Amino acid sequence: MFALLATRRFGPLFATQFLGAFNDNLFKTGLIFLVAFHLRAGDPVAAATLATVAAGVFIVPFVLFSGIAGEVADARDKAMIARGVKIAEIAFMALGALALAIESVPLALVVVFLMGAHSTIFGPVKYAILPQHLAPGELLAGTGLVEGATFVAILLGQIAGGLLPTGWVGPVAIAVALVGWLASRAIPTAPPASRVAIDWNPLTASRRALSEAFGHRELAIATLCISWFWALGAVYTSQFVPLARNDLGGSEGVATLFLAAFSIGVAIGSAGVGRLLGGRVSTRLSPWAGLVMALAGIDLWFAERALHGSAGDIATFLADPRGWRVLADLTILAIAGGIFSVPLYGILQTATDPASRSRAIAANNIVNAGFQVTAVLGIGVAISHGVSVPTALVGAGLTVVLLIPMLRKLPR
């Protein structure tokens, strides 16, 4: 599996997408730290609000432009699109460096929007290009590596954005974008299956993508289940800080440890599921993985109650066997999540005509964005009405039982 990383047909694409995801989170986190520790150091509410606004600004382009992104990726050479996106990223990061240097939050939010647009355009490319460059038996391995690396890149970008001095974030982001562009130049050509006119109207392009996806039973089920997984991930990651601080009595380092366990767990499950399935696109493990996620979430609820708010700092947390139980539950839940989701991406890649494959990925991205926003807002409302974070998390995880009947209708 990891031998794919050394091949030209996969390695450059892998590096390109990894560095892009890293840069997105490096810049967003650097902006949040600038506001929290410098511009609004005495106003934690403003800092928290900015974090929410930045997350919303980043996701808006996925809703607005995913349809067009799918149209473009189906009608043009995907390698050429990747290179164009990386050139744009260099310009965006240069603008972002300026925004951080002059401490302009509005300009920085514009850059966050532009980076969201960059990721929107690249999203259909990175998954739709894989069936063109990989053998059928390699597809799950390649998809798993891409998804797993995305979570690791998010984690590393957030950590780097918090650790680097604000003045370094911009130059580092520009350097990373340059390396990403160099990697993209080595991606082999990936011409479209057919030349078709591009619909540049975001509304009609999105409607076309969604109607095609939901007009096909397998694509519709895969899209809904993938979107549920990303929504659950958004709920968990958005609540790690309040969970660690308010419910477990832990430090910010403990919250970062939770994020690391979750990200690495998804990466392990994503990378390993291809081997478990023998390289065959099959969802036979997905219902079982969903049940494991639900059971791990339930045990996590009990493990959190057992700690009784005594997590402390990282050393204290890791010295307590009850802390290891929490970490184990999070990691198991995340590994099962990777096993759950990657075969569903395989369905998106193989159950549609090559000429419209990118639109299927684009439809998935639109629904993903809607699910994530709805889930995060919903969990926020529940918590504001007195539901504890652990209870809200276990409740969100148990919704997987609604998906199991649908999953059993997919290829096994």
Side-chain angles (χ1 to χ4, degrees), residues 27-48:
F27 184 80
K28 283 190 296 181
T29 305
L31 169 61
I32 292 167
F33 270 68
L34 172 66
V35 173
F37 292 98
H38 184 59
L39 300 183
R40 296 289 186 273
D43 189 351
V45 174

Side-chain angles (χ1 to χ4, degrees), residues 19 23 86 89-90 171-184:
L19 294 170
N23 246 3
K86 292 295 115 176
E89 182 183 348
I90 296 170
V172 169
I174 294 172
V176 171
L178 283 167
V179 175
W181 171 68
L182 290 173
S184 73

Side-chain angles (χ1 to χ4, degrees), residues 121-200:
I121 299 300
F122 189 62
V125 170
K126 70 179 183 181
Y127 286 114
I129 198 174
L130 294 178
Q132 290 182 257
H133 288 165
L134 302 182
E138 299 172 324
L139 186 58
L140 274 187
T143 302
L145 286 171
V146 167
E147 179 168 338
T150 298
F151 276 87
V152 174
I154 291 170
L155 169 66
L156 295 179
Q158 291 176 341
I159 292 174
L163 294 179
L164 285 174
T166 302
W168 290 19
V169 170
V172 169
I174 294 172
V176 171
L178 283 167
V179 175
W181 171 68
L182 290 173
S184 73
R185 289 172 56 84
I187 298 174
T189 183
S194 63
R195 286 278 181 177
V196 295
I198 297 172
D199 184 354
W200 294 101

Side-chain angles (χ1 to χ4, degrees), residues 60 249 257 267 289 400:
V60 163
L257 188 62
V400 72

Side-chain angles (χ1 to χ4, degrees), residues 25 28 32 51 55 59 150-152 154-155 158 228-244 252 254-266 300 304 330 333-334 372 375-376 379 383 389 392-393 396:
N25 290 277
K28 283 190 296 181
I32 292 167
I59 208 168
T150 298
F151 276 87
V152 174
I154 291 170
L155 169 66
Q158 291 176 341
W228 172 86
F229 167 71
W230 280 92
L232 185 69
V235 165
Y236 265 83
T237 54
S238 69
Q239 295 302 317
F240 280 155
V241 171
L243 174 67
E252 290 185 6
V254 173
T256 302
L257 188 62
F258 288 173
L259 179 62
F262 189 84
S263 302
I264 293 170
V266 173
L300 179 63
E304 290 160 347
L330 273 177
L333 188 152
Q372 289 182 59
V376 171
I379 210 78
I383 291 170
V389 171
L393 293 180

Side-chain angles (χ1 to χ4, degrees), residues 109-405:
L109 288 174
V110 170
V111 175
V112 170
F113 179 87
L114 293 173
M115 287 302 290
H118 149 280
S119 297
T120 299
I121 299 300
F122 189 62
V125 170
K126 70 179 183 181
Y127 286 114
I129 198 174
L130 294 178
Q132 290 182 257
H133 288 165
L134 302 182
E138 299 172 324
L139 186 58
L140 274 187
T143 302
L145 286 171
V146 167
E147 179 168 338
T150 298
F151 276 87
V152 174
I154 291 170
L155 169 66
L156 295 179
Q158 291 176 341
I159 292 174
L163 294 179
L164 285 174
T166 302
W168 290 19
V169 170
V172 169
I174 294 172
V176 171
L178 283 167
V179 175
W181 171 68
L182 290 173
S184 73
R185 289 172 56 84
I187 298 174
T189 183
S194 63
R195 286 278 181 177
V196 295
I198 297 172
D199 184 354
W200 294 101
N201 184 318
L203 294 178
T204 56
S206 295
R207 184 172 61 196
R208 178 186 179 189
L210 289 170
S211 64
E212 289 180 356
F214 283 90
H216 187 297
R217 187 181 72 171
E218 291 181 3
L219 293 180
I221 293 172
T223 296
L224 291 172
C225 292
I226 291 171
S227 298
W228 172 86
F229 167 71
W230 280 92
L232 185 69
V235 165
Y236 265 83
T237 54
S238 69
Q239 295 302 317
F240 280 155
V241 171
L243 174 67
R245 179 185 300 164
N246 301 329
D247 293 277
L248 299 181
S251 65
E252 290 185 6
V254 173
T256 302
L257 188 62
F258 288 173
L259 179 62
F262 189 84
S263 302
I264 293 170
V266 173
I268 292 171
S270 298
V273 67
R275 184 178 297 273
L276 292 174
L277 291 171
R280 189 169 67 90
V281 176
S282 165
T283 59
R284 61 184 173 84
L285 295 180
S286 293
W288 297 105
L291 287 175
V292 171
M293 292 174 71
L295 292 173
I298 293 171
D299 192 68
L300 179 63
W301 184 84
F302 286 106
E304 290 160 347
R305 289 176 62 87
L307 267 174
H308 296 302
S310 58
D313 59 16
I314 291 181
T316 303
F317 180 76
L318 294 179
D320 190 331
R322 295 171 299 176
W324 284 101
R325 180 182 175 187
V326 170
L327 276 184
D329 285 332
L330 273 177
T331 305
I332 291 169
L333 188 152
I335 291 172
I339 295 171
F340 174 89
S341 61
V342 168
L344 296 170
Y345 276 104
I347 298 296
L348 291 185
Q349 293 164 323
T350 59
T352 185
D353 187 277
S356 60
R357 182 179 290 136
S358 298
R359 288 197 296 275
I361 304 295
N364 174 71
N365 290 344
I366 295 169
V367 180
N368 271 1
F371 268 53
Q372 289 182 59
V373 171
T374 301
V376 171
L377 290 177
I379 210 78
V381 170
I383 291 170
S384 69
H385 282 76
V387 178
S388 70
V389 171
T391 300
L393 293 180
V394 74
L398 287 174
T399 57
V400 72
V401 300
L402 302 175
L403 305 180
I404 291 176

